[in-house]
Amino acid sequence: MMLVTGASGALGGLILDRLGAVADLGVVAGTRAATGAARRIDFDDPTTLVGGFTGVRVLVFVSAGYAEDDVVLARHGAVVDAAATAGVRHVIYTSLAGSGDQLSIALAHRWTEARLAEAPFDVTVLRNGLYAEIPAGLAMSSAESAATTGVFTAPLGHGRVSVVAREDLADVAARVAVETQADLAAGQRSRHAGRTYELAGATAIGGEDIAGVLAEVLGRPVTYQPVSLAQAREALAGGGLEPYQVSHTLSMFANTGAGLLESPGDDLAALLPTPPRPALELICDALKAVVPLPAA
């Protein structure tokens, strides 16, 4: 049996959809509020974990962020302990790309990788890049202003960030999971055991690139103007975010501006059946879905 945690989330749901299309795979959804055939897997309630993982050979462990670091560490530590107790054979963990080592969100991921390395089961680490939805979100939130002023502002400096389509990451996770299940069924250790794959994405996006997409969709010239991190902090503080979300967002902006998030290359293309989805096209499509097309 195979189980995917966070199956009601965006990435977990995509992975589950892909695995569900494979005949006789025996995949089960793990969610906080289980219904139907899904199992209740609540990272904040460790009593659900050992029973939820019982009978599972391959566990697709989708990381559980969106909390302060101490909460995430407690969640992830409980998952590792429960998987070991339940006799899980292989864990596939969705981590953070190596290019993100200086990001504030990296702490929980690297800690979890270390805990998994000490566990009695085999592990595959998928070091996922930042989602293309991040620059797409910046573009969409700025579309109205850019249409009026012809200027796109963002705290990205003149750095760029390598981004990847969430769908591509789901494709890779599903492939690794299916091949791992097949290897175990054949009485073999997974070909992916002990491997760490860097999946940062082949395309790096900067402020100028986002301005170019805005110009294409809006049908008017748009230039990029960097703003300071102090200005970004003030704007974020009034946006209704949790304090940790403000810190993590500013960390991403600062790392981008410092030129630390542009990956030199990774394993993504080798693990996909087709070329990675073009990030700029994804941003353009997202904009077209919410921005009226310019008059002919």
Side-chain angles (χ1 to χ4, degrees):
M1 181 192 302
M2 180 187 302
L3 186 140
V4 180
T5 72
S8 60
L11 178 60
L14 287 172
I15 296 170
L16 187 68
D17 286 345
R18 285 150 173 77
L19 294 174
V22 180
D24 302 321
L25 190 60
V27 61
V28 176
T31 65
R32 185 183 295 249
T35 58
R39 292 191 179 188
R40 182 171 177 239
I41 303 294
D42 185 347
F43 288 179
D44 292 322
D45 182 2
T47 63
T48 69
L49 300 181
V50 174
F53 295 157
T54 298
V56 173
R57 287 204 292 182
V58 179
L59 174 64
V60 181
F61 174 14
V62 179
S63 55
Y66 305 107
E68 297 286 0
D69 282 338
D70 55 347
V71 174
V72 178
L73 297 189
R75 290 171 176 171
H76 288 191
V79 170
V80 175
D81 291 343
T85 299
V88 172
R89 296 273 304 279
H90 193 114
V91 171
I92 300 163
Y93 173 62
T94 62
S95 189
L96 173 70
S99 56
D101 274 345
Q102 305 305 316
L103 290 171
S104 57
I105 60 173
L107 182 151
H109 287 293
R110 300 298 176 254
W111 181 90
T112 303
E113 290 181 17
R115 283 292 309 273
L116 287 166
E118 298 171 350
F121 42 72
D122 282 329
V123 176
T124 304
V125 175
L126 305 179
R127 284 189 163 182
N128 290 348
L130 297 178
Y131 299 140
E133 285 92 339
I134 294 173
L138 287 173
M140 288 187 288
S141 66
S142 303
E144 184 176 351
S145 173
T148 302
T149 65
V151 177
F152 165 64
T153 61
L156 303 174
H158 293 287
R160 307 174 87 200
V161 52
S162 295
V163 294
V164 59
R166 199 191 307 255
E167 291 83 355
D168 284 342
L169 297 175
D171 287 343
V172 170
R175 172 183 172 176
V176 171
V178 168
E179 291 178 350
T180 294
Q181 183 89 317
D183 289 341
L184 294 180
Q188 304 169 3
R189 191 178 184 222
S190 170
R191 71 198 77 175
H192 301 290
R195 300 293 301 273
T196 295
Y197 295 116
E198 291 288 347
L199 309 172
T203 304
I205 304 293
E208 291 85 358
D209 302 298
I210 298 173
V213 175
L214 281 164
E216 177 183 345
V217 174
L218 296 172
R220 63 157 297 172
V222 177
T223 59
Y224 167 57
Q225 179 179 311
V227 298
S228 70
L229 291 174
Q231 290 171 289
R233 183 183 296 276
E234 183 177 356
L236 290 168
L241 298 177
E242 296 289 340
Y244 71 87
Q245 292 176 308
V246 173
S247 298
H248 290 332
T249 303
L250 287 170
S251 173
M252 183 194 66
F253 290 152
N255 274 264
T256 300
L260 299 176
L261 293 181
E262 187 169 353
S263 174
D266 57 35
D267 302 306
L268 185 67
L271 290 167
L272 288 171
T274 58
R277 292 167 173 85
L280 285 174
E281 287 185 18
L282 294 173
I283 297 170
C284 189
D285 290 344
L287 267 175
K288 288 178 179 177
V290 298
V291 175
L293 293 178

